[in-house]
Amino acid sequence: MRRTRIAEIIAAENIGARYTVMGWVRTRRDSKGGFSFIEINDGSSLAGLQIIADQELANYKSEVLKLQTGCSIKATGTLAASPGKGQKVELKAEEIEVLGWADPDIYPLQKKRHSFEFLRSIAHLRPRTNTFGAVARVRNAMAHAIHTFFQEKGFIYLHSPIITGSDCEGAGEMFKVTTFDLNHAPEKEGDIDFTKDFFGGPANLTVSGQLEAEIYALAMGDVYTFGPTFRAENSNTSRHLAEFWMVEPEMAFCDLEENAALAIEFLKQIFTSVLDNCKEDMEFFNRFIDSTLLKTLETLVSHDFEILTYTEGVDILKKAKQKFEFPVEWGCDLQSEHERYLCENVFKGPVVLIDYPKEIKAFYMKMNQDEKTVRAMDVLVPKIGEIIGGSQREDDHDALYERIKEAGLNTDDYWWYLELRKFGSVPHSGFGLGFERLIQFVTGLSNIRDVIPFPRTPGNLSF
Ligand code: ATP
Ligand code: MN
């Protein structure tokens, strides 16, 4: 008999049906009446299934009474309406088979609540907790919603490369990819000779798929990437990972205003979809992680986003009564305390800031007529700050050439990027969204290490 998932059994409420379920024991309670309640979870939903094990079972004394948190079992029986509180249905077992034991003296996950920090040290077991199970399901639902959003709009999903020969923005520390024996790398005049390396030149892990997405946007129209990116920045914050996933749409024939409108529509649709499809998990986060979560998301879905220029934002911040750790001046890069102040104290919701000073933004952003600001946009949300960064791209060959030089980069390295502006150049725009930041926002989890299955951060790579 095939197993049926618990989520399916609970949804169908098919009283009297026979099922085989398999899962991991969360709790066992023994009743004086000569039977036991065994709660199992199989990952398909937050809720588990209560199994009633009667003393008449052949292995009741020898095995059932020895079941502990973490053991895996197979149970076959009939579904009945549950008289107890907390669940509508329960399975009256006719047979219980123990698949795997878990010695309670050494099994690290016990009934009590463990700290997230401790759970990070047991990444191989933490998905068996309520919180990490819920994160895994919500993460999956969000990935699905992201593909659905773009696919329904006719965007082409582009697989941008993970190993790259170009340093996208010239900024951001990159991880090198090499097959050299690091103790004996071939040298040429004191320098490492990368012509002898695997690719015949230096190679890195990508920090963004944007430049490659631009190539495809300028042929296919609308494309998006959704894949892993890597940054060797040594920022040990609750919002930075060394390996994280990015969503990067890129649209030809699209200006900054349309770009911002797409970003807003995108966020609203993802939030709506999670609220609709992950009700149980979202209620769990609202109850145990952040009690303002559901309200925040619901408001966000139904409200307009504030759009203002960087200059207007800085004016507001300069007049603010609040003391900031980093003082604000026109031209400075906004810190997350500033971004949060705008969202949380001033506009009470998400904010899109546009037209940033060119000095603090990447070379590829289109220059405004004032020659001081570029067509950049950051989408800022309460509690997190920046969640999306995007821009209209410079589509004028000569202007781009100058900006690459100004940024201290080698124009030769960008020959193909420049050629895109020589042959059939068109206005185009796009943005990058950190998938984990979005999950943080949706789940309320304050540390980014808790929304990715296997977090990679400076000094941490257990397995
Ligand atoms: P920040 O100032 O927060 O470091 P950034 O300006 O470096 O962000 P971008 O280069 O614009 O970020 O990257 C696009 C998006 O990727 C960001 O809006 C953010 O959501 C996400 N992001 C950037 N760096 C990280 C990181 N180290 N870990 C997780 N997400 C990140
Ligand atoms: Mn950064």
Side-chain angles (χ1 to χ4, degrees), residues 365-385:
M365 300 190 179
K366 187 163 184 62
M367 188 74 79
N368 274 310
Q369 304 218 304
D370 63 11
E371 305 244 324
K372 281 191 212 131
T373 60
V374 289
R375 305 244 71 195
M377 65 166 198
D378 278 5
V379 180
L380 317 175
V381 292
K383 294 192 193 120
I384 308 269

Side-chain angles (χ1 to χ4, degrees), residues 24-71:
W24 292 268
V25 173
R26 285 290 177 82
T27 56
R28 191 199 83 232
R29 279 187 300 120
D30 305 320
S31 146
K32 288 202 188 76
F35 58 94
S36 303
F37 301 99
I38 304 160
E39 163 101 6
I40 65 164
N41 187 288
D42 69 0
S44 61
S45 64
L46 184 72
L49 186 66
Q50 175 160 289
I51 293 170
I52 311 292
D54 194 88
Q55 59 187 357
E56 300 301 315
L57 291 172
N59 59 348
Y60 185 75
K61 279 218 178 73
S62 59
E63 293 193 323
V64 172
L65 284 182
K66 291 182 187 143
L67 286 174
Q68 302 278 0
T69 308
C71 295

Side-chain angles (χ1 to χ4, degrees), residues 287-325:
R287 186 154 160 227
F288 292 105
I289 306 292
D290 174 359
S291 61
T292 62
L293 208 56
L294 288 177
K295 213 168 142 243
T296 308
L297 289 174
E298 279 156 9
T299 328
L300 234 145
V301 165
S302 55
H303 276 67
D304 289 341
F305 285 40
E306 203 68 41
I307 303 182
L308 62 157
T309 63
Y310 167 90
T311 305
E312 289 166 331
V314 166
D315 284 343
I316 294 172
L317 290 168
K318 281 171 79 170
K319 287 189 200 122
K321 291 206 180 68
Q322 176 149 337
K323 271 259 167 288
F324 295 116
E325 192 187 336

